[in-house]
């Protein structure tokens, strides 16, 4: 069990660029979650997958955001046309039902 | 929507003191979880509670799932310096997505 792995750990991008993050969950977990965390706040739910099916998306997930989990293993989160307000820590978690185990996140800075 | 109120927002501890923090919800939850987050890292699960009234310990940590299913508390006994960090409560209605509180920052008194 190597834990939940997220790459990259940090990403600095210019406004308007597209970015993609990757999450490798704990292999036996069927559920994978994406959360966003800003300074001084708790994580906010974005979306989750059960195996390869995306079961729920938060209203926080605008049309510029898309997440995939093509084979029910790793997942990617893409943000198109980034805005300064997208700057945050993006956390991935996995579990059997609740998101029990979190990765160390990808910190996105949009300049 | 669901909201969690976590208190206190921050507290100072001296080594050896007991610490208590709690969370209340506007909704009924079926799962309560407590996490600790250190700077630059993801939250780490401390205790998971799945039944109303449940009292669970993990070393010096004890957490309870309130009978009304709308609250939970976390106690840390005999605190040590490495207890500093941010503690989050989180609740789930259907055992899937979690709603998080805003966190309790634990600092060491100098």
């Amino acid at each position: 069990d190597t834990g939940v792995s997220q790459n990259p750990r940090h990403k600095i991008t210019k406004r308007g660029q597209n970015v993609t993050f990757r999450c490798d969950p704990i292999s036996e977990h069927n559920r994978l979650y994406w959360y966003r965390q800003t300074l001084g706040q708790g994580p906010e739910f974005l979306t989750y997958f059960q195996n390869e099916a995306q079961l729920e998306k938060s209203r926080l997930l605008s049309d510029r955001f898309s997440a995939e989990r093509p084979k029910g293993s790793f997942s990617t989160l893409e943000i198109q046309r980034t805005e300064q307000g997208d700057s945050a820590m993006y956390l991935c978690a996995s579990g059997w039902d609740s998101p029990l185990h979190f990765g160390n996140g990808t910190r996105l800075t949009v300049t | 929507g669901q909201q969690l109120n976590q208190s206190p927002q921050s507290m100072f501890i001296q080594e050896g003191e007991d610490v208590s923090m709690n969370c209340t919800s506007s909704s009924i939850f079926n799962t309560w979880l407590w996490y600790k987050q250190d700077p630059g890292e993801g939250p780490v699960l401390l205790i998971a509670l799945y039944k109303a009234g449940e009292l669970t310990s993990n070393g010096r940590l004890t957490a309870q799932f309130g009978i009304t299913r709308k609250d939970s508390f976390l106690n840390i006994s005999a605190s040590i310096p490495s207890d500093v960090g941010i503690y989050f409560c989180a609740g789930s209605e259907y055992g899937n997505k979690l709603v998080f509180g805003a966190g309790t920052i634990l600092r060491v008194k100098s």
Side-chain angles (χ1 to χ4, degrees):
Chain A
D1 177 356
T2 56
V4 178
S5 176
Q6 290 188 248
N7 288 288
R9 288 297 309 275
H10 303 274
K11 179 71 178 178
I12 299 173
T13 191
K14 291 187 178 173
R15 191 173 50 193
Q17 297 294 305
N18 299 343
V19 293
T20 300
F21 312 139
R22 177 179 169 124
C23 172
D24 288 273
I26 292 171
S27 56
E28 56 266 31
H29 288 165
N30 63 342
R31 287 193 178 177
L32 185 150
Y33 299 79
W34 285 99
Y35 281 77
R36 182 173 70 185
Q37 186 176 27
T38 52
L39 201 61
Q41 300 297 317
E44 295 175 292
F45 171 78
L46 292 178
T47 187
Y48 87 97
F49 294 83
Q50 179 158 305
N51 300 314
E52 63 272 12
Q54 188 172 16
L55 295 188
E56 189 171 347
K57 292 197 287 188
S58 161
R59 57 183 168 78
L60 290 176
L61 215 65
S62 76
D63 290 345
R64 297 183 298 105
F65 287 70
S66 62
E68 293 182 345
R69 194 183 183 197
K71 296 181 182 176
S73 56
F74 73 92
S75 175
T76 57
L77 178 68
E78 182 183 16
I79 309 174
Q80 295 183 326
R81 305 182 303 282
T82 52
E83 301 172 357
Q84 286 188 315
D86 297 331
S87 296
M89 173 83 89
Y90 290 84
L91 292 162
C92 175
S94 69
W96 282 112
D97 38 59
S98 297
L100 296 182
H101 299 279
F102 280 82
N104 283 327
T106 293
R107 178 161 299 283
L108 173 66
T109 303
V110 181
T111 62
Chain B
Q2 295 170 326
Q3 287 187 331
L4 284 187
N5 292 313
Q6 187 170 348
S7 65
Q9 283 186 314
S10 67
M11 56 195 311
F12 286 87
I13 57 170
Q14 272 186 330
E15 190 171 350
E17 282 182 344
D18 295 345
V19 171
S20 185
M21 58 192 79
N22 68 79
C23 242
T24 58
S25 165
S26 58
S27 306
I28 288 174
F29 285 140
N30 290 310
T31 302
W32 280 97
L33 303 175
W34 285 91
Y35 291 86
K36 179 175 184 266
Q37 187 173 28
D38 291 326
E41 298 184 7
V44 173
L45 181 66
L46 300 174
I47 293 181
L49 302 159
Y50 298 105
K51 203 162 95 172
E54 182 181 353
L55 184 73
T56 297
S57 292
N58 177 9
R60 295 177 297 104
L61 277 59
T62 302
Q64 184 158 29
F65 191 142
I67 290 290
T68 64
R69 293 197 280 159
K70 288 188 174 184
D71 62 327
S72 178
F73 72 75
L74 175 72
N75 285 342
I76 306 172
S77 64
S79 55
I80 59 178
S82 61
D83 289 335
V84 302
I86 306 177
Y87 290 79
F88 290 102
C89 61
S92 171
E93 199 173 345
Y94 300 115
N96 44 17
K97 67 181 185 183
L98 292 176
V99 176
F100 279 79
T104 293
I105 302 171
L106 212 57
R107 296 187 175 100
V108 175
K109 242 184 238 183
S110 58

